[in-house]
Coordinates of all heavy atoms in Angstrom, one line a residue:
L321 N -8.2 62.3 159.3 CA -9.5 62.5 159.0 C -9.8 62.2 157.5 O -9.3 62.9 156.7 CB -10.0 63.9 159.4 CG -11.5 64.3 159.2 CD1 -12.3 63.7 160.2 CD2 -11.7 65.8 159.1
P322 N -10.7 61.2 157.3 CA -11.0 61.0 155.9 C -11.7 62.2 155.2 O -12.4 62.8 155.8 CB -12.0 59.8 155.9 CG -11.9 59.2 157.3 CD -11.5 60.4 158.2
V323 N -11.1 62.5 154.1 CA -11.7 63.7 153.4 C -12.6 63.3 152.2 O -13.7 63.7 152.2 CB -10.5 64.6 153.0 CG1 -11.0 65.8 152.2 CG2 -9.6 65.1 154.1
F324 N -12.0 62.4 151.4 CA -13.0 62.0 150.3 C -12.4 60.7 149.8 O -11.2 60.4 149.8 CB -13.2 63.0 149.2 CG -12.0 63.5 148.4 CD1 -11.5 62.8 147.4 CD2 -11.3 64.7 148.8 CE1 -10.3 63.2 146.7 CE2 -10.3 65.0 148.2 CZ -9.8 64.3 147.1
P325 N -13.4 59.8 149.3 CA -12.9 58.5 148.9 C -12.3 58.6 147.4 O -12.8 59.4 146.6 CB -14.2 57.7 148.8 CG -15.4 58.7 148.8 CD -14.8 60.0 149.4
L326 N -11.3 57.7 147.2 CA -10.8 57.5 145.9 C -11.4 56.3 145.3 O -12.5 55.9 145.6 CB -9.2 57.4 146.1 CG -8.6 58.6 146.6 CD1 -7.0 58.3 147.0 CD2 -8.6 59.9 145.6
E327 N -10.6 55.5 144.5 CA -11.2 54.3 143.9 C -11.4 53.2 144.8 O -10.7 53.1 145.8 CB -10.5 54.0 142.6 CG -9.1 53.2 142.9 CD -7.9 54.0 143.2 OE1 -8.0 55.3 143.4 OE2 -6.8 53.5 143.1
K328 N -12.2 52.4 144.3 CA -12.5 50.9 145.0 C -11.6 49.9 144.1 O -11.6 50.0 143.0 CB -13.8 50.6 144.9 CG -14.6 50.7 146.2 CD -16.1 50.1 146.0 CE -17.1 51.3 146.4 NZ -18.4 51.0 146.0
Y329 N -11.1 48.9 144.8 CA -10.6 47.8 144.0 C -10.8 46.5 144.7 O -11.1 46.5 145.9 CB -9.1 48.0 143.7 CG -8.2 48.0 144.9 CD1 -7.7 46.8 145.4 CD2 -7.8 49.1 145.5 CE1 -6.9 46.7 146.5 CE2 -6.9 49.1 146.7 CZ -6.4 47.9 147.1 OH -5.6 47.9 148.2
T330 N -10.8 45.5 144.0 CA -10.9 44.1 144.4 C -9.6 43.4 144.5 O -8.9 43.4 143.5 CB -11.9 43.3 143.6 OG1 -13.1 44.1 143.5 CG2 -12.2 42.0 144.2
G331 N -9.3 42.8 145.7 CA -8.2 41.9 145.8 C -8.8 40.5 146.0 O -9.9 40.2 146.5
M332 N -7.9 39.5 145.7 CA -8.3 38.1 145.8 C -7.3 37.4 146.6 O -6.0 37.8 146.5 CB -8.7 37.4 144.5 CG -7.6 37.2 143.6 SD -6.6 35.8 143.9 CE -7.4 34.4 143.3

Side-chain angles (χ1 to χ4, degrees):
L321 175 77
V323 178
F324 60 87
L326 301 167
E327 81 271 13
K328 250 180 240 175
Y329 65 85
T330 302
M332 64 81 77

